[in-house]
Amino acid sequence: YPVFLFFLLVRSRTIGELLAPAAPFDKKCGRENWTVAFAPDGSYFAWSQGHRTVKLVPWSQCLQNFLLHGTKNVTNSSSLRLPRQNSDGGQKNKPREHIIDCGDIVWSLAFGSSVPEKQSRCVNIEWHRFRFGQDQLLLATGLNNGRIKIWDVYTGKLLLNLVDHTEVVRDLTFAPDGSLILVSASRDKTLRVWDLKDDGNMMKVLRGHQNWVYSCAFSPDSSILCSVGASKAVFLWNMDKYTMIRKLEGHHHDVVACDFSPDGALLATASYDTRVYIWDPHNGDILMEFGMVRFWRIDEDYPVQVAPLSNGLCCAFSTDGSVLAAGTHDGSVYFWATPRQVPSLQHLCRMSVRRVMPTQEVQELPIPSKLLEFLSYRI
């Protein structure tokens, strides 16, 4: 199982801790925190607390508790029901902590929210059970038995139970465009594409991995999916045609994690070979290479911050990027403030360009070579 060390500079500032409740079976298998997630709107934080439970906490309340009571916040085991949405004004009551029993060990979590104008790809929608509104917030949980359960975050109600995988569902990711298209990565060597607006219909099976699939991530425009697993290759998929675009070769061991930059111009992958590669996903070039997993700036040759964490298993940035959460082997979560620096106007302009132009279009621009290199993240 992957055990990572996460590092943040000089002594990174600890924000707080959420410690899993003590129990007689503390040392037994199943307590591990395999996954953490922040809601897209920053409203909730979720983590697999071990032994098949998922804890949901309002993120603003969590931060406030850290400020009021210091870094430690020991969670209790009582299950709290969240109030339902008001039927008259459509406004949600104040969120509270919530515990969900998923029925099996939880390996993956993902929040999803709907954009009403993003219609289901299903032609006949008259018979659908669910009409997901803009104020809907869903939580997908990937389980040890291969099932994926979809929950209403505000009510704790189980909405869908997706059952096609035959092995552990190791990762989940929603398309960022609000379509409620969900992709799951499994140890059964497949990726599966689900349309939650079509009552969880499985639209496609993506085959190509010869072994376990560990992680998957959408590009910001939802057009490309990256997937990695128990092989040295990085897979890129066209999510309009559900076809493989290319394999990226370069790692020397299994690739365990992947993610895109906010402008979609860069792809980061991490491997058991202790290397992090930064790729241009549009042409497959390796632009940067980092040793170990630390906090890096893409324009520096050294990590910005370093702070050790023992027995780490997973990590995720908060929605605004200001906090890093890391889950550990004992089911707890630790938080650090992200190193903050004001981005240069040059970089902001580059991100604006790269959000709408892939590498090939940038290289065709009639501009000086140095500017082309900058826009291509080569300098």
Side-chain angles (χ1 to χ4, degrees), residues 39 41 43-46 56-58 80-83 85 92 95-100 110-112 135-140 150-159:
D41 61 359
S43 59
Y44 273 93
F45 173 73
L56 283 159
V57 294
L80 298 176
R81 298 292 296 177
L82 289 180
Q85 296 171 228
K92 297 180 289 291
R96 295 182 298 169
E97 291 186 4
H98 197 39
I99 291 179
I100 295 175
F111 284 97
D135 59 349
Q136 194 97 26
L137 184 60
L138 306 179
L139 179 70
I150 310 297
W151 309 84
D152 184 315
V153 170
Y154 301 120
T155 66
K157 180 182 178 181
L158 176 63
L159 302 178

Side-chain angles (χ1 to χ4, degrees), residues 263 265-267 278-283 285-288 298 346-347 349-351 353-354 357-365 367-379:
D263 60 5
L266 303 175
L267 171 68
I278 307 298
W279 310 77
D280 184 326
H282 302 286
N283 59 25
D285 290 345
I286 297 176
L287 303 179
M288 285 158 265
I298 61 172
Q346 283 181 317
H347 178 59
C349 292
R350 172 167 58 182
M351 290 184 66
V353 172
R354 292 311 308 269
M357 297 186 73
T359 303
Q360 293 85 342
E361 293 182 14
V362 168
Q363 292 174 341
E364 293 172 0
L365 294 174
I367 55 178
S369 59
K370 283 294 183 183
L371 188 52
L372 281 175
E373 291 178 4
F374 179 77
L375 290 176
S376 301
Y377 285 90
R378 294 179 182 273
I379 57 173

Side-chain angles (χ1 to χ4, degrees), residues 55-251:
K55 186 72 174 281
L56 283 159
V57 294
W59 179 233
S60 60
Q61 176 186 317
C62 192
L63 285 176
Q64 186 177 22
N65 288 344
F66 291 155
L67 293 174
L68 290 176
H69 306 295
T71 61
K72 289 190 177 181
N73 183 5
V74 182
T75 62
N76 58 55
S77 57
S78 60
S79 178
L80 298 176
R81 298 292 296 177
L82 289 180
R84 295 179 180 272
Q85 296 171 228
N86 293 335
S87 57
D88 51 356
Q91 298 294 319
K92 297 180 289 291
N93 291 325
K94 184 178 179 181
R96 295 182 298 169
E97 291 186 4
H98 197 39
I99 291 179
I100 295 175
D101 185 344
C102 296
D104 205 344
I105 295 173
V106 181
W107 284 86
S108 50
L109 294 171
F111 284 97
S113 55
S114 174
V115 175
E117 54 268 24
K118 281 284 183 180
Q119 297 298 321
S120 166
R121 298 192 184 187
C122 177
V123 176
N124 181 12
I125 61 172
E126 298 300 322
W127 51 269
H128 284 174
R129 289 180 295 160
F130 300 110
R131 298 289 187 271
F132 294 115
Q134 193 161 11
D135 59 349
Q136 194 97 26
L137 184 60
L138 306 179
L139 179 70
T141 56
L143 307 182
N144 192 68
N145 59 11
R147 296 194 175 197
I148 301 167
K149 293 186 177 181
I150 310 297
W151 309 84
D152 184 315
V153 170
Y154 301 120
T155 66
K157 180 182 178 181
L158 176 63
L159 302 178
L160 294 167
N161 192 3
L162 313 180
V163 297
D164 287 270
H165 279 298
T166 58
E167 292 284 350
V168 172
V169 179
R170 193 62 188 88
D171 198 17
L172 295 165
T173 182
F174 277 97
D177 60 5
S179 62
L180 288 185
I181 297 297
L182 175 70
V183 175
S184 54
S186 172
R187 286 185 183 174
D188 65 13
K189 308 177 186 178
T190 68
L191 297 139
R192 295 175 188 255
V193 185
W194 315 83
D195 185 353
L196 298 196
K197 288 190 176 181
D198 188 15
D199 285 352
N201 177 51
M202 189 183 70
M203 303 164 57
K204 199 73 177 177
V205 180
L206 303 181
R207 304 183 189 275
H209 287 268
Q210 300 301 308
N211 216 317
W212 295 356
V213 189
Y214 285 136
S215 179
C216 57
F218 270 101
S219 62
D221 64 1
S222 302
S223 66
I224 299 175
L225 180 82
C226 176
S227 63
V228 298
S231 72
K232 302 173 185 177
V234 177
F235 292 71
L236 293 178
W237 307 85
N238 181 317
M239 293 307 287
D240 293 321
K241 301 177 180 178
Y242 302 116
T243 56
M244 190 187 300
I245 300 172
R246 63 171 61 91
K247 291 183 187 179
L248 307 181
E249 305 283 352
H251 280 294

Side-chain angles (χ1 to χ4, degrees), residues 279-346:
W279 310 77
D280 184 326
H282 302 286
N283 59 25
D285 290 345
I286 297 176
L287 303 179
M288 285 158 265
E289 177 182 343
F290 302 133
M292 299 297 289
V293 182
R294 304 184 179 193
F295 253 111
W296 302 84
R297 282 176 55 92
I298 61 172
D299 54 355
E300 300 287 354
D301 295 328
Y302 52 86
V304 178
Q305 289 199 356
V306 178
L309 172 69
S310 299
N311 298 316
L313 291 175
C314 59
C315 65
F317 282 106
S318 61
T319 307
D320 62 2
S322 64
V323 175
L324 179 74
T328 63
H329 217 272
D330 68 358
S332 300
V333 190
Y334 298 84
F335 300 88
W336 293 275
T338 325
R340 306 298 289 176
Q341 291 179 304
V342 178
S344 67
L345 181 58
Q346 283 181 317

